[in-house]
Amino acid sequence: MWNFSSGPSMLPYDVIHQMSFDILDWNSTGVSVFDISHRSKYFEIIYNEAESDLRELLGLSSDYCILFMQGGGQGANAIIPMNIIGRNGINMADFIVSGYWSSKSYIEACKYGDASIVASSNYAMKIDYQDCNPYTWFPKIESIKTRACSSYLQFCSNETINGVEFVDWNGLVNSIDGNAVLVADVSSNFLTRELDINCTGVVFSCAQKNAGISGVTIFIVRKDLIGMSLNICPSVFDYKNVVNSESRYNTPPVFAIYVSGLVFKWLKSNGGIKRMESNNLEKSRMFYDFIDSTSFYTNTIHSSVRSRVNIPFFLKNDFLTDIFVEKAESSGIINIKGHRSMGGLRASMYNAMPIDGINALINYMRDFERYYG
Ligand code: PMP
C-alpha cells in the first residue's frame, strides 16, 4: 500500500524493520525497548544519540538547544507564548496567517496576551493576488509590519492542509521591526529540505510526519530565550525545566523518542537532508507536472509557494471525488482524501515516500481520467 497520509504517515521501512528487533530485545540487552526506563543508562544512550544525530543533520549552531516535549503541534501553540510572549515586558506577539495551522496558532496565543495578525492570505490582496483564493498564497514580505514591542513573529513554514510552503525565512527576519524573534511551525516540512533554523528564535515540529511517530514534539530553542516563562506556565512545559533535565522533567515518551532516533539514523545513512530535498523536489515536480498537464485535476496554489510535501488537488467534477478515493484503495493508494475543512483530495509525500509511490499514484490518476474523463 502507498500511504499518502498527512500524519501519522509512512515511516521508512528500515526503521520499522529495526523496531521489530528492538521490541523483543534492544541492543542485545535482553530488554524490550518498551520496557526501558527514562532514568536508565539505556535511555541515556538513546536520548544522547537522537539529540546529537539531529543536531548534526541540521547543522545546528551551539546557540540552540533541542527539546523533546509532549503536547503535539497544537500544544506548542500554547507552550511558546507561555515561554516567550513576555520577553519584552509586555505580552505581545505577531502572526502571519497563511492557512489552517497558522490560524490555530494565532487563536491559541490570544489566551496569553496581545496577539495580532500582521499579515494574512485569508482575503484576496487587491494588488498582488487578486485572482487567488484565500490561503493559496503567502503574504508578500514587504506587506508584513511587525509591532515594535512584539516578542515574536510566528508563521507556519508549510501549511499541511492548504499546501502552501514558504521558505524565505531570512526575508521574514529582515521584515521584523523591533526585536521580535522568528518562530516557525515546521511540523510538516521539518527535515524535508534545508531550512535556515539558525536565523530563528524557536522552531517546533510534531514528530508524526518526518521525524518519527506521534507522542513527541521537537522544539529547537535559542538559548537566550530560555528562562522567561509566564508564571502560569506549567512546570513540565517550562523550557528552563526541560533543558535542565535533558527533556526528562517528567516521564518523556521514551518509545517515541527512540523511533525519532532511528529516523535520524536512517536520514544520516541515506544522504541527509540534502538528499531528501532533491528527492522531494523530484517527487513533487513529477506530481505537479502531471496535474498541470490536464484540466481534469487542479491545484490552485500560487506557483511560488506550492508545497513539496502536501499537495491538495481537486477533480473538476467533485461528484467523482468519493469514487476516486474508493477505487484508489483497491489500487493500493490510501489516505488520499483531502482534509475535512477543504474537501477534495490531498497527496502527502514525505521523506519516506519513494518515487515508485508517486508513479503509482500518477498511473492511477491517469487511468481514472481515461475512464471518467
Ligand atoms: N502544525 C502543523 C503544520 C501540522 O501539520 C499539524 C498536524 N497536522 C499541527 C500543527 C498539529 O499537530 P498535533 O496534531 O500534533 O497537535
Side-chain angles (χ1 to χ4, degrees):
M1 286 289 187
W2 300 113
N3 181 2
F4 287 92
S5 167
S6 60
S9 47
M10 274 185 82
L11 278 173
Y13 175 78
D14 293 349
V15 167
I16 296 183
H17 190 65
Q18 184 61 45
M19 281 159 65
S20 70
F21 293 106
D22 293 344
I23 283 170
L24 296 174
D25 177 7
W26 180 75
N27 217 7
S28 307
T29 53
V31 176
S32 163
V33 68
F34 280 135
D35 295 349
I36 287 177
S37 159
H38 63 300
R39 304 280 175 215
S40 67
K41 60 181 187 219
Y42 300 153
F43 186 65
E44 191 74 23
I45 296 169
I46 290 172
Y47 179 85
N48 288 343
E49 286 187 6
E51 204 267 352
S52 68
D53 285 343
L54 180 57
R55 191 171 277 282
E56 187 186 325
L57 279 164
L58 297 172
L60 196 62
S61 111
S62 58
D63 293 340
Y64 291 82
C65 44
I66 299 176
L67 313 179
F68 292 87
M69 295 175 71
Q70 293 175 74
Q74 293 201 58
N77 289 332
I79 291 170
I80 289 168
M82 285 193 292
N83 274 279
I84 65 168
I85 200 168
R87 62 183 276 270
N88 285 337
I90 356 175
N91 300 345
M92 190 185 267
D94 291 339
F95 288 79
I96 300 169
V97 171
S98 58
Y100 183 95
W101 288 114
S102 49
S103 154
K104 282 213 137 183
S105 299
Y106 159 71
I107 291 166
E108 187 68 22
C110 289
K111 296 179 184 166
Y112 302 97
D114 172 5
S116 172
I117 298 176
V118 293
S120 167
S121 56
N122 189 20
Y123 46 85
M125 277 274 284
K126 295 291 165 287
I127 312 149
D128 299 316
Y129 297 105
Q130 48 187 328
D131 298 329
C132 296
N133 292 324
Y135 296 152
T136 57
W137 45 281
F138 196 89
K140 281 241 160 41
I141 286 188
E142 309 81 81
S143 73
I144 300 168
K145 295 265 170 289
T146 53
R147 296 174 298 169
C149 293
S150 190
S151 293
Y152 62 93
L153 170 66
Q154 182 165 339
F155 78 110
C156 179
S157 70
N158 185 70
E159 289 283 359
T160 320
I161 293 171
N162 308 85
V164 171
E165 186 168 24
F166 183 79
V167 291
D168 181 9
W169 295 15
N170 274 298
L172 288 183
V173 171
N174 292 333
S175 78
I176 291 175
D177 283 329
N179 84 332
V181 292
L182 191 65
V183 171
D185 175 356
V186 295
S187 292
S188 44
N189 64 352
F190 189 46
L191 301 167
T192 66
R193 62 191 296 163
E194 306 236 39
L195 296 168
D196 200 359
I197 294 174
N198 292 315
C199 78
T200 68
V202 180
V203 307
F204 67 92
S205 175
C206 51
Q208 63 265 19
K209 301 166 197 301
N210 287 289
I213 58 171
S214 61
V216 63
T217 317
I218 296 166
F219 285 78
I220 299 173
V221 184
R222 214 174 68 197
K223 287 178 180 161
D224 63 306
L225 300 173
I226 290 167
M228 42 188 72
S229 60
L230 303 180
N231 285 337
I232 53 156
C233 182
S235 307
V236 289
F237 292 145
D238 189 324
Y239 289 154
K240 188 163 70 168
N241 293 335
V242 183
V243 172
N244 290 342
S245 60
E246 295 187 305
S247 304
R248 269 156 279 180
Y249 186 81
N250 67 322
T251 311
V254 170
F255 187 72
I257 294 173
Y258 148 80
V259 178
S260 292
L262 289 186
V263 171
F264 303 152
K265 289 204 186 305
W266 176 81
L267 284 168
K268 279 176 64 178
S269 58
N270 283 278
I273 294 180
K274 259 200 169 63
R275 174 81 177 284
M276 294 302 134
E277 173 154 5
S278 64
N279 290 350
N280 292 328
L281 185 60
E282 175 63 6
K283 289 183 301 185
S284 55
R285 190 194 54 73
M286 284 163 59
F287 194 71
Y288 283 122
D289 280 356
F290 171 68
I291 287 202
D292 291 342
S293 71
T294 156
S295 59
F296 190 72
Y297 301 102
T298 52
N299 164 284
T300 57
I301 307 303
H302 195 272
S303 58
S304 60
V305 289
R306 278 177 155 186
S307 170
R308 290 182 187 168
V309 282
N310 303 104
I311 308 185
F313 60 102
F314 296 88
L315 286 157
K316 203 167 73 185
N317 177 355
D318 193 41
F319 287 114
L320 291 173
T321 302
D322 287 343
I323 304 171
F324 180 97
V325 172
E326 200 183 302
K327 287 197 179 288
E329 193 150 341
S330 39
S331 302
I333 285 154
I334 55 170
N335 294 320
I336 194 77
K337 207 173 160 71
H339 187 264
R340 59 192 184 282
S341 66
M342 292 260 292
L345 301 154
R346 174 175 48 163
S348 296
M349 41 187 84
Y350 298 127
N351 288 342
M353 173 63 71
I355 284 202
D356 286 352
I358 311 304
N359 277 324
L361 176 58
I362 292 174
N363 286 338
Y364 166 69
M365 289 168 70
R366 202 172 271 132
D367 288 347
F368 190 86
E369 178 177 353
R370 223 170 270 142
Y371 194 81
Y372 290 98

